[in-house]
Amino acid sequence: MVNASAEEPTRDLAASPLRGRHRGGRGRTAGVALAWAAAGCAVIGLAQAARAGAFDHVSLLDRAAGDGAEAAGFVLLVAAWWSRDRRWITRLLPALLLAIAGLVGVVALILWATGTVTDAYPPSFAIWVGAGFAALAGCPLVLRRRPPGPAAGRAPVWRRVAAVVAVPVTAAGAFLLIDQQYGIWPQVGDVLGHSGALDAQQAHNLIDGTATPGGRPPAQGVIADLDAPATRSHFRHRSGVVFLPPAYFGPDRATLPVLVMLVGSPGTPINWLKSGHGQSTDDAYAAAHHGRAPVLVVVDQNGSATGDTECVDSPAGNAETYLTADVPAFITGTLGVQHTSSSWGIAGFSEGGTCALDLVLGHPDIYEHAIDFGGDARPNLGGPQQTLQHLFGGSVAAQLAHDPARLLSTRHYPGVTLWFGAGADDTRGIAVGEQLSAAATRAGVVNHRFVDAGGHNWQFASAGFARVLPPLCDEMAVSRLSPAPGRPGRL
């Protein structure tokens, strides 16, 4: 009895540290769960605020923010991956990095082979994409990894947290740096589709005058979700948008100039008004000219974000007929703007620039002015045979009928004016602009060429449009405020 009673305290003392560890483990687990719950609530709250428009005007083109997010992602990756485990360092980590490098290469090859991205990739492409893949692939490895030794358990909490947080941080950094390279989404609201556009019914009410407060026109221009139906062409396309300047709601509506706007591939119609700042540029011009400015009609010539019709009638659809028959009918019918070729033009960026030039040279009776920012020398799908077959159904005659150099050498273009622009870092765009400007000059066609800061991106297109719009409006409104025929203008 004495020995048994003496053993009781001993067992209690020996068991008490174990019970303490269990209680401490449960406390830490509850704390981690509470932290994740709080983080989840914060994410949901931010998402709701974003949907409500609280962050619509937050800039996404702040270089410091992109660099900071990417740097933070790398720090988190290093923290998550840091280990003295020989097997991790010599086998698992090298295998992970090699797999990521291979995956990045495959992604680049797929984008190139499918024609989704045909321009040269920036040198940092591998870093942007690789960091995101590295965080995503490395996260489960870190969460499951157990350090070596007799006291092996899961990786420390701080390392697991770093692995999880690295995923959204590296993704955000990659998104910001890619966006800053191409300028597709200037602000958070552009990513969320908060364009501020009126829906079709609101737009029709405004056009009819039933929704104009007090009968007074708006002080600023209005974006409206109005689409040109493909009545004649039956071309399958995404909905377009229009920008109506203040004077559109007054007695000058019918005589306002018109610019049809075409984005490149990949792209969406709203890019010209937001990424290319067409809305703010047109509004600024209108403010200085009693509300008068071009009506901007942004239409889809590709059918999808990654489609590429080069604006010709092809086996993929009648894009050219859509742009030369259906769109003009929509402008004169629905919008009520009278057709005058001398005050109608087309502005395009990248593939849209190729389209703008080709459409004006092919249909000068409809459009007399072309803005070609960073376009190709002729319609192009990446290779001669592919272009001939997929765009022109194998018809060499149809292909020649859409070659700007040939058109300039065989036709006359009285009244037509052409604008060629490229970013200083867009060497191919500069060379193409020089070539086409020289061909236009030989043909006696009024043309202007300039090189501005930037690359093949929306930052350049935005600055270029702001530079071109005032003198282009002079050409549209006053017959011949332009250089003598055959002489290229330089801005």
Side-chain angles (χ1 to χ4, degrees), residues 44-391:
I44 293 172
L46 289 173
Q48 291 294 336
R51 288 184 61 187
F55 308 120
D56 279 2
H57 299 294
V58 174
S59 174
L60 295 175
L61 301 183
D62 185 345
R63 190 72 190 186
D67 292 341
E70 200 71 358
F74 279 116
V75 170
L76 288 167
L77 283 177
V78 171
W81 289 358
W82 178 258
S83 174
R84 295 181 180 179
D85 181 0
R86 186 177 184 84
R87 181 170 175 269
W88 169 256
I89 295 174
T90 59
R91 294 175 60 185
L92 294 179
L93 185 57
L96 176 63
L97 294 176
L98 284 174
I100 291 167
L103 183 59
V104 170
V106 169
V107 170
L109 182 62
I110 291 174
L111 292 176
W112 174 81
T114 58
T116 302
V117 178
T118 56
D119 299 317
Y121 296 109
S124 53
F125 177 86
I127 298 176
W128 298 342
V129 180
F133 284 150
L136 190 61
C139 182
L141 294 178
V142 173
L143 295 179
R144 296 175 58 186
R145 196 173 79 229
R146 296 180 179 275
R154 287 192 298 178
V157 172
W158 63 267
R159 189 171 293 164
R160 284 182 280 143
V161 170
V164 172
V165 176
V167 175
V169 171
T170 54
F175 171 80
L176 287 172
L177 292 179
I178 291 173
D179 189 38
Q180 288 162 14
Q181 176 71 25
Y182 298 108
I184 301 173
W185 297 288
Q187 297 179 326
V188 171
D190 301 320
V191 179
L192 300 176
H194 297 171
S195 66
L198 301 178
D199 63 32
Q201 187 58 55
Q202 291 172 319
H204 281 295
N205 290 342
L206 193 60
I207 290 173
D208 296 339
T210 58
T212 305
R216 292 172 298 180
Q220 293 183 311
V222 173
I223 299 178
D225 285 327
L226 291 174
D227 182 53
T231 306
R232 178 174 169 184
S233 66
H234 306 292
F235 177 66
R236 297 183 62 180
H237 62 283
R238 295 165 294 168
S239 293
V241 292
V242 300
F243 180 75
L244 308 173
Y248 178 85
F249 303 98
D252 294 336
R253 173 184 299 187
T255 60
L256 289 177
V258 172
L259 272 179
V260 173
M261 314 283 279
L262 304 175
V263 300
S265 177
T268 58
I270 197 63
N271 287 153
W272 248 125
L273 298 184
K274 295 298 184 178
S275 313
H277 295 285
Q279 174 188 7
S280 57
T281 299
D282 211 50
D283 247 343
Y285 183 86
H289 294 82
H290 309 289
R292 288 184 60 89
V295 173
L296 306 183
V297 181
V298 194
V299 296
D300 172 37
Q301 80 274 21
N302 288 321
S304 69
T306 57
D308 187 355
T309 68
E310 299 290 307
C311 299
V312 303
D313 287 346
S314 73
N318 297 323
E320 185 172 1
T321 300
Y322 176 66
L323 293 163
T324 56
D326 293 325
V327 171
F330 164 75
I331 296 170
T332 57
T334 301
L335 298 184
V337 180
Q338 68 184 24
H339 175 253
T340 306
S341 61
S342 62
S343 61
W344 281 31
I346 307 181
F349 168 56
S350 193
E351 176 237 354
T354 309
C355 290
L357 177 63
D358 212 36
L359 288 167
V360 167
L361 295 181
H363 305 273
D365 56 320
I366 302 174
Y367 309 102
E368 284 193 11
H369 310 278
I371 298 176
D372 177 359
F373 286 165
D376 284 333
R378 59 189 60 83
N380 170 40
L381 284 184
Q385 194 60 31
Q386 183 181 14
T387 300
L388 180 62
Q389 294 299 328
H390 290 247
L391 281 186

Side-chain angles (χ1 to χ4, degrees), residues 468-486:
V468 166
L469 185 62
L472 174 62
C473 286
D474 288 342
E475 291 181 341
M476 286 178 156
V478 183
S479 295
R480 295 294 171 258
L481 290 182
S482 52

Side-chain angles (χ1 to χ4, degrees), residues 399-458:
Q399 186 175 36
L400 290 175
H402 292 82
D403 186 332
R406 186 175 185 276
L407 292 173
L408 286 167
S409 66
T410 57
R411 297 186 185 180
H412 298 287
Y413 292 99
V416 167
T417 64
L418 309 175
W419 299 77
F420 303 104
D425 299 329
D426 183 8
T427 54
R428 186 177 71 173
I430 293 172
V432 169
E434 290 176 346
Q435 172 189 340
L436 293 172
S437 177
T441 299
R442 289 192 297 270
V445 177
V446 174
N447 69 97
H448 317 262
R449 187 180 68 83
F450 70 94
V451 176
D452 213 337
H456 193 79
N457 51 32
W458 280 108

